[in-house]
Amino acid sequence: MYFIKKALLVITGLFLTAFGTKLLTISHLTFGGTAGISTLLTFSTGISWGVWFFVINLPFFILSVKRLGMLFSVYTLLCISLISIINGFLNIPPTSGVHPIFIAVAAGLIIGSGVVLVLNNGASLGGIHILAVYMDQHLSINRGKTLFITDLLIVLSASLMVGIVNALYSVITITIASFLAGKFKPQQGAKADKNDIPIEASL
């Protein structure tokens, strides 16, 4: 029952994250991390976000197998695969009548909530999220700050493709999502459950 509960929470987090990134893509906004890179590649090639997200995360999966262990790597690959599939099947109506700032805020809240559910239940979205959790646990650098800095650099670089105005709107998204990821996390010193992935393996 415990495993099922955590699995459902992770799947909910993946759905929310996929929905948020889809909302950004159809609104010509972007995000940070491998999700943001995937969005930019979708804009420039026309190939679906889900395909790019899966492909870009493969090197991180290989690294994870070598450095983080097979169990965590399998969980990560499953999450990457599921979010790619969910994003591909989502069909969101055009948002042309909605001001981008509202899209940016909504996407930030949705993605941030999704990331919290995934990370707080022993799973990972791959890529930069692994780095963020590692720095949080081993270097005491808040994971939200790591996500914000890396995402900000990617979004600002994306301004050449989506325009400076849309890039600034996208900064709102990553600010909100990063704040949520850094704010709502398991309390330090909480007793680990035997069913959880060892923290050393999830970094």
Side-chain angles (χ1 to χ4, degrees):
M1 181 62 69
Y2 178 82
F3 175 79
I4 294 176
K5 177 183 178 181
K6 290 180 75 67
L8 289 175
L9 288 173
V10 169
I11 292 174
T12 301
L14 294 175
F15 181 85
L16 289 173
T17 306
F19 183 86
T21 54
K22 187 83 168 187
L23 186 62
L24 291 175
T25 302
I26 66 172
S27 304
H28 298 287
L29 300 176
T30 187
F31 197 62
T34 52
I37 297 173
S38 301
T39 301
L40 295 179
L41 288 172
T42 297
F43 289 155
S44 59
T45 66
I47 299 175
S48 73
W49 183 92
V51 171
W52 279 123
F53 186 73
F54 182 82
V55 170
I56 291 172
N57 273 287
L58 283 179
F60 291 101
F61 171 72
I62 296 172
L63 177 63
S64 179
V65 171
K66 295 180 178 179
R67 300 293 297 274
L68 303 176
M70 182 58 70
L71 180 60
F72 175 70
S73 301
V74 169
Y75 283 151
T76 298
L77 182 62
L78 286 174
C79 287
I80 293 171
S81 301
L82 282 173
I83 196 172
S84 299
I85 293 171
I86 293 171
N87 184 278
F89 278 98
L90 284 175
N91 187 16
I92 303 176
T95 59
S96 55
V98 182
H99 195 283
I101 194 169
F102 296 116
I103 300 296
V105 171
L109 292 171
I110 294 169
I111 294 174
S113 300
V115 169
V116 168
L117 286 175
V118 173
L119 294 182
N120 284 6
N121 286 282
S124 167
L125 292 170
I128 295 173
H129 289 90
I130 295 177
L131 173 65
V133 176
Y134 176 86
M135 296 184 71
D136 193 345
Q137 296 293 333
H138 288 272
L139 302 177
S140 298
I141 299 177
N142 186 279
R143 72 190 188 192
K145 293 181 180 178
T146 301
L147 291 173
F148 176 77
I149 292 172
T150 54
D151 289 351
L152 180 63
L153 292 174
I154 293 173
V155 169
L156 291 179
S157 299
S159 63
L160 297 176
M161 185 171 297
V162 300
I164 187 63
V165 174
N166 279 4
L168 291 176
Y169 287 136
S170 300
V171 171
I172 296 175
T173 301
I174 67 171
T175 300
I176 295 174
S178 299
F179 172 79
L180 292 176
K183 184 72 173 178
F184 299 100
K185 61 181 182 178
Q187 293 184 358
Q188 298 294 329
K191 184 177 180 181
D193 189 278
K194 65 180 181 179
N195 293 311
D196 286 336
I197 304 172
I199 191 63
E200 290 82 10
S202 62
L203 306 178

